[in-house]
């Protein structure tokens, strides 16, 4: 197994290109199941989660090839010959559940293992299932699998979510494109990844209105056709690298960055004393003079502060001036990075869904263990400004969601390398 070794090395200068969004790509890829014509995605990120989704789609009979060094995914589902998504693949990645809606809508049947994924709470899939039931699917849970059928096809329905779910909205949206009649998705997630999915589905011939708002209306069509679509910029990778100069000092431009993707996050950076400026090519981040100030943060569905940036923001707050309260509202067990940051000298008290972070002048490098994707990158960020060497273990979590992290951070002057564990 590999580790990443970071040594605090002073201010960072230069630019970092931001990749296409992992979470958008993971919902755009299953959209290929909706059509017998090719779907090509450009600006795809090169990540192990994408390889997992590739293997899952191939296991269903789809053709998936990566071109242009992995940044283009050419897919075709003209000959689907299997409707079972097996546990062996699904357990590696929770987003596998996103094949359920499109597979059912296109073929009238789908059997999908209940997913595993990051260990950040219970993360049930009841909302995905309720949405499909509202469109007339028959569902049965047996032996750890969801058995779904709709022999006469799905029917348009009202899907009224009791809470906002990104994945359930995506499954419902994809399924509704081929359902007979009109579907209305209420209390829909408004994340940029949903908007990107709707744009792609529209290119494929879907009739969708209201994406990016809490109510999406879909007029079902008989069939969808092929399309080519660029994956939207990864706002979480963007926010993560915006924190690098905020923590280590300096001035870094994030190429491809857009303010509309990270509004709530930028408001918090501004309050903490970090300037963010939009340019023609991206976002420039530069902390103002003096120590960053503590700010309170509450995670919420988009357009609120994203849960996927909570761990990284905590890394910034560890050395901020004052006391910060970080409230985690989306997942109930998402502070696993706190004890690891504490090993580096941070002062953090976790009380239920809230972490109280009292800023210290400087962190000290230590061997730490990554426990999930965003936690692992938060430890790297903390290491950028820590005194001495931080060794982050279990980096396979990182490979799920960040491409070329060592190359990207070295290019702006960080002292960081990937090493093989003895
Ligand atoms: C997606 C993102 C993930 C991000 C999360 C919240 C992908 C691949 N992953 O995950 O990175 O952290 O959105 O922004 O896009 N819930 C239920 N029942 C369900 C579904 C969800 O109770 O059927 C709950 C979850 O446990 C959680 C909340 O709803 O507490 C929000 O989860 P959801 O938005 O569904 O997250 P994901 O789509 O899994």
């Amino acid at each position: 197994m590999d580790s990443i070794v970071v040594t605090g090395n002073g201010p960072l200068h230069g630019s970092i290109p931001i990749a296409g969004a992992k979470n958008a790509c993971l919902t755009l890829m299953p959209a290929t199941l909706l059509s017998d014509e090719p779907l090509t995605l450009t600006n795809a990120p090169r990540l192990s989660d994408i390889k997992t989704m590739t293997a899952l789609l191939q296991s269903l009979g789809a053709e998936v090839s990566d071109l242009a060094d992995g940044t283009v995914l050419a897919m075709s589902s003209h000959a689907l010959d299997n409707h079972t998504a097996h546990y062996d693949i699904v357990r590696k990645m929770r987003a596998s559940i996103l094949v359920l809606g499109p597979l059912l809508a296109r073929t009238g049947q789908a059997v999908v293992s209940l997913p595993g994924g990051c260990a950040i709470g219970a993360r049930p899939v009841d909302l995905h299932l309720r949405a499909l039931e509202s469109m007339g699917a028959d569902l049965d849970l047996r032996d750890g699998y969801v058995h779904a059928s709709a022999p006469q096809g799905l029917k348009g329905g009202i899907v009224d979510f009791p809470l906002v779910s990104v994945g359930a909205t995506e499954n419902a949206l994809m399924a509704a494109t081929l359902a007979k009649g009109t579907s209305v998705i209420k209390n829909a997630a408004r994340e940029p990844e949903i908007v990107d999915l709707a744009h792609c589905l529209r290119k494929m011939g879907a009739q969708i209105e209201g994406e990016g708002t809490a109510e999406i209306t879909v007029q079902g069509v008989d069939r969808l056709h092929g399309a080519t679509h660029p994956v939207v910029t990864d706002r979480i990778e963007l926010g993560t690298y915006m924190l690098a100069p905020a923590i280590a000092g300096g001035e870094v431009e994030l190429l491809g960055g857009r303010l509309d993707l990270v509004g709530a996050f930028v408001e918090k950076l501004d309050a903490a004393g970090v300037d963010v400026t939009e340019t023609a090519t991206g976002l420039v981040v530069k902390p103002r003079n003096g120590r960053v100030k503590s700010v309170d943060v509450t995670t919420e569905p988009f357009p609120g502060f994203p849960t996927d940036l909570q761990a990284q923001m905590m890394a910034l707050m560890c050395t901020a001036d004052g006391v910060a309260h970080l409230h985690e509202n989306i997942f109930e067990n998402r502070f696993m990075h706190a004890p690891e940051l504490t090993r580096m000298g941070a002062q953090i008290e976790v009380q239920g869904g809230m972490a109280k972070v009292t800023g210290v002048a400087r962190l000290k490098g230590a061997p730490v263990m990554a426990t999930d994707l965003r936690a692992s990158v938060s430890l790297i960020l903390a290491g950028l400004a820590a005194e001495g060497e931080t060794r982050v273990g279990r980096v396979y979590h990182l490979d799920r969601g960040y491409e070329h992290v060592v190359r990207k951070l070295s290019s702006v002057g960080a002292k960081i390398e990937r090493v093989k564990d003895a």
Side-chain angles (χ1 to χ4, degrees):
M1 237 186 287
D2 294 356
S3 292
I4 286 189
V5 179
V6 198
T7 310
N9 191 34
L12 307 175
H13 290 278
S15 59
I16 298 178
I18 303 302
K22 169 180 85 79
N23 287 350
C25 202
L26 288 176
T27 186
L28 291 163
M29 290 175 76
T32 185
L33 299 171
L34 290 164
S35 171
D36 59 0
E37 293 184 20
L39 174 63
T40 300
L41 299 176
T42 60
N43 196 36
R46 290 154 293 182
L47 303 168
S48 65
D49 271 8
I50 301 303
K51 292 206 181 331
T52 304
M53 184 57 86
T54 297
L56 176 56
L57 294 174
Q58 286 170 336
S59 78
L60 299 170
E63 291 165 16
V64 184
S65 339
D66 58 20
L67 312 169
D69 195 23
T71 58
V72 173
L73 296 169
M75 302 176 288
S76 170
S77 300
H78 63 91
L80 296 179
D81 55 6
N82 171 29
H83 56 264
T84 302
H86 284 284
Y87 177 69
D88 285 354
I89 301 181
V90 175
R91 71 182 170 83
K92 293 187 190 158
M93 188 182 66
R94 182 184 157 76
S96 306
I97 192 75
L98 294 171
V99 301
L100 178 61
L103 195 57
L104 180 64
R106 166 96 177 278
T107 69
Q109 54 183 339
V111 179
V112 178
S113 169
L114 293 166
C118 275
I120 52 171
R123 304 187 80 174
V125 292
D126 54 316
L127 301 176
H128 299 246
L129 305 186
R130 269 168 63 167
L132 297 173
E133 269 178 337
S134 309
M135 294 181 210
D138 283 328
L139 300 178
D140 189 15
L141 292 183
R142 267 184 281 133
D143 313 322
Y145 281 77
V146 182
H147 296 251
S149 67
Q152 310 305 319
L154 291 171
K155 291 190 282 294
I158 307 285
V159 178
D160 195 356
F161 288 122
L163 57 91
V164 177
S165 162
V166 176
T169 302
E170 291 165 345
N171 245 331
L173 176 58
M174 286 189 278
T177 59
L178 291 181
K180 287 185 196 73
T182 307
S183 298
V184 182
I185 305 171
K186 298 184 174 192
N187 204 17
R190 293 181 278 165
E191 269 65 4
E193 294 75 29
I194 307 268
V195 174
D196 201 37
L197 173 63
H199 287 176
C200 176
L201 292 170
R202 199 175 284 130
K203 284 181 200 163
M204 295 170 74
Q207 294 192 10
I208 301 169
E209 276 173 31
E211 73 275 10
T213 75
E215 187 167 300
I216 305 177
T217 305
V218 185
Q219 189 69 49
V221 295
D222 289 340
R223 63 184 297 274
L224 295 180
H225 52 74
T228 297
H229 180 79
V231 179
V232 68
T233 298
D234 195 319
R235 65 198 166 94
I236 306 302
E237 191 197 26
L238 171 64
T240 300
Y241 288 126
M242 287 171 77
L243 283 166
I247 286 176
E251 181 172 335
V252 173
E253 181 171 14
L254 295 315
L255 300 172
R258 281 168 28 198
L259 274 181
D260 62 318
L261 296 175
V262 283
F265 172 68
V266 167
E267 274 175 33
K268 291 296 175 185
L269 283 188
D270 182 52
V274 178
D275 284 332
V276 179
T277 322
E278 197 160 28
T279 65
T281 42
L283 297 178
V284 174
V285 179
K286 183 176 188 294
R288 286 171 222 139
N289 290 335
R291 200 167 151 196
V292 161
K293 290 188 278 297
S294 299
V295 287
D296 293 341
V297 167
T298 300
T299 63
E300 286 167 342
F302 194 86
F305 190 100
T307 174
D308 285 350
L309 285 173
Q310 177 260 108
Q312 302 91 311
M313 190 67 177
M314 188 183 287
L316 177 67
M317 290 299 106
C318 286
T319 51
D321 187 11
V323 177
H325 299 88
L326 307 187
H327 295 267
E328 175 53 61
N329 268 345
I330 309 292
F331 295 111
E332 73 271 26
N333 184 22
R334 209 176 194 182
F335 287 132
M336 279 105 72
H337 40 285
E340 300 301 304
L341 290 167
T342 305
R343 287 169 52 76
M344 298 174 70
Q347 283 190 21
I348 306 169
E349 280 170 59
V350 174
Q351 298 153 357
M354 193 270 285
K356 179 179 163 196
V357 186
T358 306
V360 297
R362 190 133 196 226
L363 296 179
K364 287 205 172 59
V368 285
M369 203 60 103
T371 46
D372 69 52
L373 169 55
R374 307 304 172 186
S376 56
V377 85
S378 77
L379 299 172
I380 291 176
L381 288 174
L384 288 176
E387 195 183 320
E389 191 179 283
T390 300
R391 189 184 180 100
V392 184
R394 287 198 201 149
V395 291
Y396 55 86
H397 288 296
L398 203 69
D399 296 332
R400 292 187 48 203
Y402 290 91
E403 63 170 40
H404 304 313
V405 68
V406 168
R407 192 194 299 174
K408 287 186 179 185
L409 284 172
S410 320
S411 76
V412 293
K415 197 167 171 214
I416 177 168
E417 59 177 340
R418 188 170 178 130
V419 296
K420 289 247 172 280
D421 288 338

